[in-house]
Amino acid sequence: MRKPCCDKQGNNKGAWSAQEDQKLIDYIKTHGEGCWRSLPVAAGLHRCGKSCRLRWINYLRPDIKRGNFGQDEEDLIIKLHALLGNRWSLIAGRLPGRTDNEVKNYWNSHLKKKLINMGIDPNNHRLNQILPRPQAEPAPVLATSTTTGSKNNIVTASEPKKSSNDDSDRVSDTASCLEDDYKSLVTPQVATSGSSNINLDLTIAAPASPGHETIFGNKQQNCNWGKTCHVEIEPTSLPTLALFR
DNA sequence: AATGCCTGCAACCGCCTGTGC
DNA sequence: TGCACAGGCGGTTGCAGGCAT
């Protein structure tokens, strides 16, 4: 049985108060980040360390850029998602001042819908070619669902339930066909973004080590993010990425 | 004006990975 | 080598506020 990450008894949960925020800010200003587990006690907070870390990283950090995403940021998120899948921390790392949580929320609440409205499957960034038929199949697209019934859980017919252990879901299969787009991303002058603030250096994602093989292949590869991933190419139909044309 | 539904986002949860011993 | 711990990550939940009826 796994131990809980922290003792939950006596810890506050839910929204942070202004006093708690101030305590956390003051403590980190004085002592710096780190030692999250012991930080709450030291800072006089009745929170678990993880909660403090999340609050700092996602909300209190001074370099966080808040507000709407720009068009260039949107474009970059879409492209990076096509390339990296749901690796929000990596994507956020390319967007100065944005956090993984913010990018993830923005994707789920805005960009996903936007792509769907454009007729693009947000999971693989391909044009949807199978249109829903009125009666033949049970609601193949845009089936809202789940226990709460109020979430934006949009399920498409081409979106099987994923296993969390299946790493192949973490890299969009579109990544396998994105070599050109990848090149455009790692080559700043080719990138579509007009913002000089956006870091397009993807060397973390694609180290040029001797043993490194391109992630664009059809078999198991050693992916740069440290895991072995499976990238598959459908031999008969190389996918096209509508947005990248 | 009241009510119910929908949306966006902050926060939580559980798993994974890295590191030190 | 194996274990324990801390940090990090992605998925999911819950709530507040906006909107429609």
Side-chain angles (χ1 to χ4, degrees), chain A residues 1 12-13 29 33 39 50 56-57 64 67 82 98 109 117 130 136-137 145-146 150 171 175 189-190 197-198 204 233:
Chain A
M1 193 62 178
N12 292 342
K13 286 179 75 174
K29 271 184 184 172
E33 295 182 42
L39 183 149
K50 274 188 168 187
W56 173 254
I57 287 175
I64 285 182
R98 302 295 188 185
S109 60
N117 286 338
I130 302 171
E137 293 168 354
S145 72
T146 81
S150 65
V171 176
Q189 65 269 26
V190 190
N197 290 329
I198 293 177
I204 291 175
I233 292 178

Side-chain angles (χ1 to χ4, degrees), chain A residues 2-7 11 27 33-43 45 47-53:
Chain A
R2 189 186 181 84
K3 261 178 31 176
C5 73
C6 50
D7 179 18
N11 276 353
Y27 183 87
E33 295 182 42
C35 296
W36 293 108
R37 189 158 293 222
S38 58
L39 183 149
V41 175
L45 288 162
R47 295 272 180 177
C48 83
K50 274 188 168 187
S51 183
C52 294
R53 177 184 160 271

Side-chain angles (χ1 to χ4, degrees), chain A residues 53-64:
Chain A
R53 177 184 160 271
L54 250 335
R55 182 64 178 172
W56 173 254
I57 287 175
N58 290 331
Y59 202 84
L60 298 176
R61 241 173 41 196
D63 57 334
I64 285 182

Side-chain angles (χ1 to χ4, degrees), chain A residues 116 128 130-133 138-144 154-158:
Chain A
I116 289 170
N128 276 327
I130 302 171
L131 297 175
R133 287 188 292 175
V141 283
L142 296 179
T144 60
I154 297 169
V155 179
T156 67
S158 59

